[in-house]
């Protein structure tokens, strides 16, 4: 009866009958008619004889009618009939061809977007070169139409679409070529990547015009990629890259490598790149091997390393993937009410589900088309129940697991977020995932300026997208730096000033401080000024403050900085005892990370990678990570300016700085910090100063540099010596200038030809006794212009700033007396009258100017100098110091101290905040530096590498070890050739620098002037030095 009704209905259909809805109504009422109906329709539509024209055309019209009026019920059968209709569209009979074309377009238009996966396979077959050109054009039209009503699904299928359509774009048939171009243009529109969407027309043109590939590669290489790169973008760009890598032009191959490197960094899902790697990797390797240019080859090798990294990640990823048979079996298992006759419909539904899995759509609202199809063969309730059961199953099928995935333990998950992190205009992390477990200890690794500290600050400030708020997860950033405005407080009051500890009882604070060593009978006392603490005790105070805040997550930036071996062990034990607290730690101490970390978290190529295990386990799987911890592995280079000569000093081993029997006690303390200290430093010195926290190392250096004045003993610095001092808490040098760029800061600091910071020292402040002496008159003896000796009582008002050497090789200083007259007084006289510090200030200014006159204080010169000290021009000139990381600030401080070519460099804990690459570069720069060096550090490798002489401090007492004056045998005479011999002004003009003038004795000067006078009388030309002497002595008169 069913067959009779179908035949009856079909016999009434014709091209002009207009009664197509009758059959559609019958099908909508009874879907079981469909198998028989479509068997008949497919047979009729496939007929090609002249006598079968009406039959085939009518069958095609039925397809159109069903698509327009019964598309939900008939969709599985309509889609499966497309191969027949594509064939019919190539029929020579216009009636059949037009009816078939209309049927195909109607079916495609009415079908669910998730039918694209199935329909595309029919399109690819229909577009083959052996098919009729009308069929091929129609297939390409269908592909193009998906850009409008199924853009997401088309984008997901681009890896399959692009190669199929590309073949047709170079077809000899004009119509096919135009249709293929339209299809590829539609495909480009669904890439969804703003970084390259403006390039799509160029990419399309490159397919048919290979000669344009070099120019397109050049343009694409200049694109700044910031958006996530997914498979649609890769599908469009990779064919172009393959052509670029095959170019004979080295520049084009290099640009292709640059694009690969840039884009691959932003691939969020490595599986997106997986289909392209088998072709791209060998092409890139061949390109690199054939390059003779070392720089271009290095670029290609870097890109190749990035692809290998992606390939390595993919090798450790596991997923069931989207397999049709698995999905169909799951569908059948969860649709028990589907009748046996629904097998065909279930296969179609399974294909739709595969499409949804491919675009990662697991929201039930996106599965409405699946529910509609299931409702046809079951009922609405059963269809909804089937979808609810299928979604988690399908989601699990496409879930990606890794070999490095954490063990499924019972630890609470504190955070599981995906975010992007930027630092100014620089992207540090892009669309990366971070998962943190309670009680885990994460060691954070990354290269220089990769964003380690920025990430921890962002977590602490609550600015990481998706990170739990402070009410849910409490984070504490542990910092050892003491805020300047609170430095006058006692240790306990400093802790209680923290607003997060408001209302806390003082006894509780004291109790926690006692657990870290702050006791009345200990080395650090709770009521002593916080400013008197050494670096190690400041870190312990910061940890005590963190303990009081009861943190869920501790963020520790270099927690072992400033700490001796005993206190490092204490910190390790403390962190390991925190079974319920998570810690994220940045440290360059490999032993610390080995002993404390349960996981390693690495910032690499804008992504965050987490691996279970300590540092050794991480390095076993990632050998390149050893560069983070080896001074020898550094490729970065620092270059310090050489010190140049000192007037009157010919030997490198002559002492330029001395302490003799010095004692020092901090104000407010009863017990001295230093006892009877005697040391000396020369340009040959390479001294490592070591000792436990609080032993007095930094205090001794402060006395040596004049930062503080000892109660007993003598301090000497050669009047012509320039000393660079980078303090333990290095940021104090710049904390008043954070609104300046590093470039602006150095130009401000040396603007008047002198170092402003060197004049702000306790040792340069006058005492009341000195002020009184300066006001008193004393007898002055001098000779007037006629050579008559005169005497008078005068008072010195000020030192003008000039200095000369008398016949006894002693310095005399030009002074101004009250009353306005001027004269010269010896250093000994001025010292007796309270002007010692003023004389030192004149010495310092003259020494500084001697180091500054060889370089113009221009923005360009300062930028180059900062670059020589490891700070990129972008940060040196265009970023304010408030926006710099800790490591960058240390580089600024070192560069500022080195600007005036010091003879002695003193570094107090220089390893703090610097990563291993920067430490290696610093070590090499110190090795090549021709001046004296004193280093305080707990980094044994750093000190032992550089310093054969040791000063060992123990509770204020000093012992020296090693080779004192080891450089005596090496180049003992000062090398004049090491100083700067050229200067560059702000406009880039280079001129030769004169060497310092030699001071002549009176006899030599008289003889020299006699020779110059004769030259003048004879009309001979004078050199510049002779010209200067002639003018000074008025020989032209």
């Amino acid at each position: 009866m069913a067959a009779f009704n179908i035949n009856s209905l079909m016999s009434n259909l014709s091209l002009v009958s207009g009664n197509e809805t009758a059959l559609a109504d019958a099908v909508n009422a009874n879907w079981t008619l469909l198998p028989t109906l479509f068997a008949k329709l497919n047979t009729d539509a496939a007929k090609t004889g002249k006598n079968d024209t009406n039959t085939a055309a009518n069958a095609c019209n039925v397809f159109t009618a069903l698509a327009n009026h019964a598309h939900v019920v008939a969709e599985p059968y309509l889609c499966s009939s497309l191969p027949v209709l594509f064939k019919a569209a190539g029929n020579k009979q216009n009636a059949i061809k037009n009816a078939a074309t209309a049927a195909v377009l109607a079916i495609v238009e009415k079908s669910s977007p998730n039918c694209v996966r199935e329909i595309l396979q029919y399109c690819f077959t229909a577009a083959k070169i052996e098919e009729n050109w009308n069929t091929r054009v129609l297939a390409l039209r269908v592909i193009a139409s998906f850009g409008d009503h199924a853009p997401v699904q088309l984008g997901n299928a681009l890896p399959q679409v692009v190669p199929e359509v590309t073949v047709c774009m170079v077809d000899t048939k004009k119509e096919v070529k135009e249709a293929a171009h339209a299809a590829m243009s539609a495909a480009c529109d669904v890439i969804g990547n703003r970084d390259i969407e403006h390039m799509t027309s160029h990419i399309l043109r490159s397919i048919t015009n290979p000669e344009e590939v070099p120019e397109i590669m050049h343009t694409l290489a200049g694109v700044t990629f910031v958006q996530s790169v997914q498979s649609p973008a890769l599908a469009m760009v990779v064919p172009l890259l393959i052509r670029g890598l095959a170019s004979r032009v080295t520049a084009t191959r290099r640009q292709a490598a640059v694009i690969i490197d840039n884009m691959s960094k932003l691939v969020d899902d490595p599986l997106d790149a997986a289909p392209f790697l088998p072709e791209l990797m060998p092409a890139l390797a061949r390109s690199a091997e054939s390059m003779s240019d070392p720089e271009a080859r290095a670029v290609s090798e870097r890109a190749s390393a990035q692809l290998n990294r992606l390939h390595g990640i993919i090798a450790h990823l596991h997923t069931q993937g989207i397999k049709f048979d698995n999905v169909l079996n799951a569908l059948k298992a969860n649709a028990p009410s589907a009748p046996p006759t629904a097998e065909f419909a279930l296969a179609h539904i399974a294909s739709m589900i595969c499409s949804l899995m491919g675009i990662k759509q697991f929201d039930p609202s996106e599965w409405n088309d699946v529910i509609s199809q299931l409702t046809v063969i079951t009922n609405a309730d059963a269809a909804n129940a089937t979808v609810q059961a299928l979604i988690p199953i399908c989601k699990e099928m496409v879930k990606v697991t890794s070999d490095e995935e954490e063990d499924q333990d019972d630890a609470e998950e504190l955070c599981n977020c995906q975010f992007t992190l930027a630092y100014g205009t620089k992207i540090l992390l892009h669309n990366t995932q971070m998962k943190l477990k309670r009680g885990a200890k994460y060691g954070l690794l990354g290269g220089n300026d990769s964003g380690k500290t920025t990430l921890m600050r962002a977590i602490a400030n609550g600015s990481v997208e998706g990170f739990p708020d402070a009410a849910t997860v409490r984070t504490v950033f542990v910092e050892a730096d003491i805020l300047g405005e609170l430095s006058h407080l006692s240790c306990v009051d400093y802790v209680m000033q923290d607003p997060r500890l408001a209302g806390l009882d003082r006894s509780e604070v004291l109790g926690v401080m006692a657990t870290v060593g702050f006791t009345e009978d200990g080395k650090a006392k709770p009521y002593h000024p916080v400013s008197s603490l050494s670096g190690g005790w400041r870190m312990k105070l910061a940890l005590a403050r963190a303990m009081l805040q009861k943190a869920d997550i501790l963020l520790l930036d270099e927690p072992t900085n400033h700490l001796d071996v005993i206190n490092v062990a204490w910190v390790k034990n403390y962190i390991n005892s925190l079974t319920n607290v998570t810690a994220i730690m940045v440290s360059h101490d490999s032993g610390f990370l080995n002993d404390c970390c349960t996981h390693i978290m690495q910032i690499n190529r804008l992504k965050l990678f987490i691996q279970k295990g300590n540092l050794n386990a991480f390095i076993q799987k990632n050998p390149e990570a050893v560069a983070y911890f080896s001074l020898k592995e550094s490729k970065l280079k620092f270059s310090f300016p050489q010190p140049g000569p000192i007037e009157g000093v010919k030997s490198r081993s002559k002492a330029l700085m001395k302490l003799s029997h010095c004692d020092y006690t901090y104000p407010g303390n009863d017990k001295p910090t230093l006892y009877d200290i005697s040391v000396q430093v020369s340009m040959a010195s390479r001294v490592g100063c070591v000792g436990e926290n609080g032993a007095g190392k930094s205090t001794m250096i402060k006395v040596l540099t004049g930062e503080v004045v000892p109660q007993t003993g003598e301090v000497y610095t050669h009047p012509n010596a320039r000393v660079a001092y980078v303090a333990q808490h290095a940021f104090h040098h710049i904390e008043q200038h954070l609104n300046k760029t590093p470039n602006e800061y150095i130009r401000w600091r040396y603007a008047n030809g002198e170092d402003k910071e060197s004049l702000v020292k306790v040792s340069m402040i006058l005492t009341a006794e000195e002020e009184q002496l300066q006001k008193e008159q004393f007898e002055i003896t001098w000779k007037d212009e006629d050579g008559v000796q005169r005497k008078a009582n005068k008072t010195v008002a000020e030192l003008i700033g000039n200095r000369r050497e008398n016949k006894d090789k002693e310095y005399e200083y030009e002074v101004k007396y009250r009353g306005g007259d001027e004269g010269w007084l010896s250093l000994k006289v001025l010292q007796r009258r309270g002007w010692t510090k003023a004389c030192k200030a004149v010495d310092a200014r003259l020494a500084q100017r001697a180091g500054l006159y060889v370089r113009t204080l221009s923005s360009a010169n300062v930028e180059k100098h900062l670059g020589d000290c490891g700070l990129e021009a972008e940060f040196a000139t265009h970023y304010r110091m408030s926006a710099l990381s800790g490591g960058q600030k240390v580089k600024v401080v070192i560069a500022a101290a080195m600007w005036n070519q010091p003879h002695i460099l003193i570094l107090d804990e220089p390893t703090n905040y610097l990563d291993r690459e920067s430490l290696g570069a610093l070590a090499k720069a110190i090795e090549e530096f021709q001046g004296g060096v004193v280093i305080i550090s707990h980094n044994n490798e750093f000190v032992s590498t550089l310093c054969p002489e040791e000063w060992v401090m123990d509770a204020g007492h000093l012992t020296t070890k090693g080779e004192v004056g080891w450089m005596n045998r090496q180049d003992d005479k000062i090398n004049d050739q090491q100083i700067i011999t050229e200067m560059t002004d702000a406009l880039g003009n280079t001129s030769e620098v004169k060497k310092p003038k030699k001071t002549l004795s009176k006899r030599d000067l008289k003889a020299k002037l006699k020779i110059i006078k004769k030259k003048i009388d004879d009309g001979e030309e004078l050199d510049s030095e002779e010209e200067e002497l002639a003018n000074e002595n008025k020989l032209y008169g």
Side-chain angles (χ1 to χ4, degrees), residues 706-776:
E707 296 285 320
V708 297
V709 181
Q711 283 80 16
T712 61
E714 294 182 4
V715 181
Y716 165 79
T717 300
H718 191 285
N720 293 327
R722 296 184 295 275
V723 180
Y725 172 46
V726 177
Q728 182 182 59
H729 308 289
F731 301 159
H732 91 80
H733 294 281
I734 59 174
E735 63 186 7
Q736 303 301 322
H737 308 281
L738 295 178
N739 61 338
K740 294 183 177 75
T741 67
N743 197 316
E744 291 169 343
Y745 166 66
I746 291 179
R747 285 186 284 126
W748 165 86
R749 179 166 165 176
Y750 293 98
N752 299 320
E754 59 193 30
D755 184 355
K756 292 184 177 69
E757 286 208 359
S758 69
L759 304 178
V760 187
K761 294 182 178 179
V762 173
S763 60
M764 301 301 282
I765 299 173
L766 295 177
T767 64
E769 182 183 355
E770 288 169 332
E771 289 179 348
Q772 181 61 37
L773 279 171
Q774 289 181 3
K775 294 175 183 177
E776 296 175 358

Side-chain angles (χ1 to χ4, degrees), residues 276-452:
F276 309 100
L277 294 183
E279 186 177 10
L280 200 54
M281 289 176 68
L284 183 57
R286 285 193 300 271
S287 175
E289 288 172 4
S290 63
M291 286 182 179
S292 57
D293 180 359
E295 190 276 337
R297 186 166 60 251
V299 170
S300 296
E301 288 171 350
R302 185 168 65 244
S304 187
Q306 174 65 2
L307 291 188
N308 286 329
R309 184 189 69 82
L310 275 176
H311 186 263
I313 293 172
I314 292 167
H316 294 287
L317 298 179
H318 307 286
T319 179
Q320 292 183 48
I322 306 171
K323 297 178 180 176
F324 177 80
D325 288 343
N326 291 348
V327 174
L328 180 59
N329 290 335
L331 175 61
K332 290 178 179 178
N334 289 276
S337 58
T341 54
E343 185 79 23
F344 197 84
L346 288 173
H348 174 74
I349 295 169
S351 178
M352 293 175 67
I353 293 173
C354 289
S355 175
L356 286 163
M357 293 165 67
I359 59 176
K360 297 180 174 62
Q361 286 289 1
F362 298 105
D363 189 314
S365 63
E366 299 292 336
W367 288 52
N368 286 336
D369 289 346
V370 173
I371 292 174
S372 297
Q373 287 297 312
L374 284 168
T375 301
V376 170
I377 58 175
T378 57
N379 58 70
D381 290 339
N384 279 292
T386 299
V387 166
Q388 287 179 3
L390 277 176
I391 287 177
I393 295 172
C394 295
K395 195 172 183 179
E396 186 64 26
M397 286 182 186
V398 294
K399 179 182 177 181
V400 179
T401 58
S402 170
D403 289 343
E404 310 298 342
E405 192 110 331
E406 294 182 21
D407 295 337
Q408 298 299 314
D409 52 31
D410 297 329
E412 176 189 354
E413 188 174 271
L414 293 179
C415 160
N416 189 354
C417 58
Q418 194 159 351
F419 62 96
T420 293
L421 180 68
Y423 178 67
T425 58
K426 181 181 180 182
I427 295 176
L428 300 172
L429 289 167
H430 183 271
N431 207 19
T432 193
Q433 187 179 32
M434 180 171 64
K435 185 189 294 184
L436 303 176
K437 292 290 190 73
R438 183 176 291 281
K441 309 298 184 293
Y442 299 90
L444 181 56
L445 305 184
N448 197 30
D449 303 330
S450 61
K452 302 183 293 295

Side-chain angles (χ1 to χ4, degrees), residues 98 123 436 651 691 973 975:
N98 292 338
C123 291
L436 303 176
S651 172
K973 298 297 181 183
N975 184 359

Side-chain angles (χ1 to χ4, degrees), residues 217 276 343 478 549 629 645 654 828 875 917 1015 1026:
M217 295 299 297
F276 309 100
E343 185 79 23
V478 180
Q549 293 176 47
F629 304 94
K654 181 174 179 178
K828 290 180 180 178
F875 300 106
E917 189 174 20
K1015 280 188 174 183
E1026 291 171 337

Side-chain angles (χ1 to χ4, degrees), residues 114 200 219 232 244 821 879 947 1002 1025:
N114 289 307
T200 53
T219 305
D821 53 331
Y879 276 66
C947 303
K1002 286 185 178 180
E1025 186 178 341

